[in-house]
Amino acid sequence: MKKNVAVIGYGGQGSWHCRQIQNSDVVTLAGIYDIEPKKCEAAENNNIRVYESFEAVLEDSGVDVVVIAVPNDSHKEMVIKALEAGKNVICEKPVEMSVAAFDEMAEAAEKSGKLFSVHQNRRWDVDFLAMKSIVESGEIGDLIRIESRIHGSRGIPSDWRCTKAQGGGMILDWGVHLIDQMLQIFAEDKIVRLHCSTTNITNTEVDDGFKLTLYFESGREAYVEVGTYNFIAMPRFYMQCKNGTAMITDWTKKAHVAKLKAWHEKDVLPVQTAAGITKTMAPRDEITLDEYDIERPVSDVHDYYRNYCAALGGTQKPLITLPQVRRVMQVMELAFESAEKKQVLETNI
Ligand code: NAD
């Protein structure tokens, strides 16, 4: 039987959840609650039931799952209340603003025996899945370094995302997705050092971009960058492996792979540069390098709710686990510390 879901917050993401739920094969929409009367009116106009309060949602025994899609500073209080009321809970990302706050939520989940999950929906992004599958297949050998970037040019949104107390800024907003993706690739490798620097080009209160490098025990590296003042965007993904390079220029594009066929080349033709010639930087030819695109993987974001319901029914393990969510939170917390201290930090996570 389909699970009944109520959504708290009918803003950008809450209304996205409602549309997903209305088109789902595993969940149905019980209704919404939003603190803003205008948002409630909008929901009613879309024929969605509106609860009169958060408490009314929690008191409705017909509601199996509560989705928390409000600004980040209200996540902890609402998640804990919902768990204590006996509801299963899905919280929007970032789960909270500190590891300590997350631990309180995880403890409440443990006590309640209910299923608590965080909506890390960008695990279903096809660009990320393409890079992950190239690493896992070993097609171009062992990973050396992967770079994950998103570049926009419009600054950060002018809503609560500009306010530090509400959990604004790009580390918490986009960083949480990109770090979560990276840690899926490096699930078995420990981070031993990290460095982060932030930008404040369009506003001063929160970061409007950041550059984060993660150094792993294995010697591999991951680089994560978010920019909101980049009028020319760099590639979405760039990855060096022992036997080749892979790149995705943007969300909509296939992965392009350059695979080494032979290391040694005969008679390399030097390339002319401004101040002289170079063989070191001369491009390779098809005798030693094979270049091709990889088909985009098939992905369905409805699988998030499918997995959540299967986990509720005990037929699948949750794909998004609380230890994974905690590790992402730890990285974000260290990223803020590194940026503030302007230091490389040692760690073991
Ligand atoms: P938003 O400002 O568009 O919407 C937030 C809504 O919450 C507003 O309608 C507001 O009135 C309501 N609200 C605030 N306090 C409330 C309260 N106490 N009770 C009930 N309603 C309340 O913000 P958004 O973009 O929808 O972001 C909401 C959450 O979703 C954030 O945590 C954000 O990080 C997350 N988000 C996730 C994704 C994703 O891809 N997973 C995308 C966007 C946003």
Side-chain angles (χ1 to χ4, degrees), residues 12-13 34-35 39 70 72 75 92-93 121 160-161:
Q13 191 60 6
D34 196 292
I35 204 164
K39 296 290 174 70
V70 299
N72 303 337
H75 287 182
E92 259 309 335
K93 53 72 358 193
N121 51 319
W160 55 268
R161 285 175 177 81

